[in-house]
């Protein structure tokens, strides 16, 4: 069965400190993996995607994620949090031949001044 | 590109009324998705189309919900009759589908529906 699990429903960090949002997936196939961000009262915006090329993927706003097949993980990181990073983050997976996406339950990131 | 366009942005209606949500996908995209987001259930896929044909509507809650895509540039999601539990934010997304399943989806700003 294919699924994606976001391990933390809420993460709180201080401004200027590193961000780590965790995501694990379960798949019998080689997945494509995405991170989306949703700011309050806004739609979802693509942060970055992994599609079997480089395992370290760089996205917008200084975020990056590393695909680790041995750990079935795709954690999202940023070296230094900014107040504008406060939002909901979704880890998303798709599978070969499938056009629909499977969303994690989301992690709400709070950035403390 | 204007991105995915949804209308209206906000809709307030009374229980029992018909509600129609509209979506214009990004030009050139061949797949369109309707999602519903609530605090209780998170983000749920309702239905998606590929080349204007409904592929998977297993997420449609019940017969009160229907979706159409008469052409590549327009889709509607209709609720008739509406109920308070339908209150949610409804997102439309589009993508350029590939056989490898790598295509990301681009989301519209959503329609916030309130049924009183």
């Amino acid at each position: 069965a294919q699924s994606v699990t976001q391990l933390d429903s809420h993460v709180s960090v201080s401004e200027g400190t590193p961000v780590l949002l965790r995501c694990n997936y379960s798949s019998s196939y080689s997945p494509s993996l995405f991170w989306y961000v949703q700011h309050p009262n806004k739609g979802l915006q693509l942060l970055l995607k992994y599609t079997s090329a480089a395992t370290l993927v760089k996205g917008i706003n200084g975020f990056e994620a590393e695909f680790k097949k041995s750990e079935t993980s795709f954690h999202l990181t940023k070296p230094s949090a900014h107040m504008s990073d406060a939002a909901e983050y979704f880890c998303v997976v798709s599978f070969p031949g499938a056009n629909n996406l499977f969303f994690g339950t989301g992690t709400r990131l709070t950035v403390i001044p | 590109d204007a991105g995915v366009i949804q209308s209206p942005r906000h809709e307030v209606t009374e229980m029992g009324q018909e509600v129609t949500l509209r979506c214009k996908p990004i030009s050139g995209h061949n797949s369109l998705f309707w999602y519903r987001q609530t605090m209780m259930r998170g983000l749920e896929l309702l239905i998606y189309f590929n080349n204007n044909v409904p592929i998977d509507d297993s997420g449609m809650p019940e017969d009160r919900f229907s979706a159409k895509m008469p052409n590549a540039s327009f889709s509607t999601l209709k609720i008739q009759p509406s109920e308070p539990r339908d209150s949610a934010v409804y997102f439309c997304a589009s993508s350029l589908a590939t056989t490898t399943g790598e295509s990301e989806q681009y989301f519209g700003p959503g329609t916030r529906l309130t049924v009183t």
Side-chain angles (χ1 to χ4, degrees), chain A residues 29-40:
Chain A
Y29 311 100
S30 297
S32 294
L33 293 156
F34 310 82
W35 276 97
Y36 281 81
V37 61
Q38 184 180 28
H39 288 91

Side-chain angles (χ1 to χ4, degrees), chain A residues 7-89:
Chain A
L7 298 163
D8 306 295
S9 60
H10 188 202
V11 170
S12 184
V13 301
S14 296
E15 188 176 18
T17 64
V19 176
L20 170 64
L21 306 183
R22 298 182 295 167
C23 174
N24 286 91
Y25 69 92
S26 172
S27 173
S28 304
Y29 311 100
S30 297
S32 294
L33 293 156
F34 310 82
W35 276 97
Y36 281 81
V37 61
Q38 184 180 28
H39 288 91
N41 301 312
K42 300 289 187 184
L44 281 77
Q45 179 185 17
L46 180 68
L47 268 182
L48 50 81
K49 68 175 181 178
Y50 165 78
T51 55
S52 73
T55 56
L56 181 62
V57 182
K58 295 187 183 299
I60 62 173
N61 300 334
F63 283 94
E64 62 182 37
E66 186 172 7
F67 174 70
K68 292 186 177 180
K69 186 174 182 178
S70 60
E71 299 177 9
T72 60
S73 69
F74 190 57
H75 301 333
L76 181 71
T77 61
K78 183 174 180 178
S80 176
H82 190 272
M83 293 300 295
S84 62
D85 295 329
E88 187 93 14
Y89 291 80

Side-chain angles (χ1 to χ4, degrees), chain A residues 30 32 34 36 38 41-46 49-52 88 90 94-105 108, chain B residues 9 31 33 35 37 39 42-43 45 48 50 56 89 91 95 97-110 112:
Chain A
S30 297
S32 294
F34 310 82
Y36 281 81
Q38 184 180 28
N41 301 312
K42 300 289 187 184
L44 281 77
Q45 179 185 17
L46 180 68
K49 68 175 181 178
Y50 165 78
T51 55
S52 73
E88 187 93 14
F90 293 92
S94 74
F95 304 99
N99 288 326
N100 53 322
L101 302 178
F102 297 87
F103 283 79
T105 51
R108 181 169 297 278
Chain B
R9 294 294 308 277
S31 293
F33 305 79
Y35 293 89
Q37 187 178 41
M39 289 291 293
L43 197 64
L45 176 66
Y48 80 91
N50 192 37
D56 183 357
V89 181
F91 289 104
S95 73
T98 67
T99 55
T100 56
E102 300 174 356
S103 50
E104 63 268 29
Q105 294 178 17
Y106 295 83
F107 282 75
R112 182 173 296 276

Side-chain angles (χ1 to χ4, degrees), chain B:
Chain B
D1 197 323
V4 176
I5 299 173
Q6 291 187 248
S7 65
R9 294 294 308 277
H10 301 273
E11 177 80 32
V12 180
T13 190
E14 293 184 348
M15 183 174 64
Q17 296 299 305
E18 178 179 296
V19 174
T20 299
L21 312 181
R22 297 173 176 79
C23 176
K24 177 178 169 57
I26 292 172
S27 177
H29 282 186
N30 58 5
S31 293
L32 183 141
F33 305 79
W34 282 102
Y35 293 89
R36 177 172 67 176
Q37 187 178 41
T38 62
M39 289 291 293
M40 291 293 293
R41 302 170 71 96
L43 197 64
E44 304 172 276
L45 176 66
L46 300 177
I47 184 171
Y48 80 91
F49 296 83
N50 192 37
N51 293 321
N52 312 338
V53 176
I55 302 301
D56 183 357
D57 65 353
S58 59
M60 296 286 263
E62 48 199 272
D63 292 344
R64 297 184 298 107
F65 285 68
S66 62
K68 294 182 179 179
M69 192 165 186
N71 57 61
S73 59
F74 184 66
S75 177
T76 59
L77 178 67
K78 185 177 295 185
I79 309 173
Q80 166 64 16
S82 59
E83 297 182 2
R85 59 191 169 123
D86 301 330
S87 297
V89 181
Y90 291 81
F91 289 104
C92 176
S94 71
S95 73
L96 181 60
T98 67
T99 55
T100 56
E102 300 174 356
S103 50
E104 63 268 29
Q105 294 178 17
Y106 295 83
F107 282 75
T111 295
R112 182 173 296 276
L113 173 66
T114 303
V115 183
T116 60

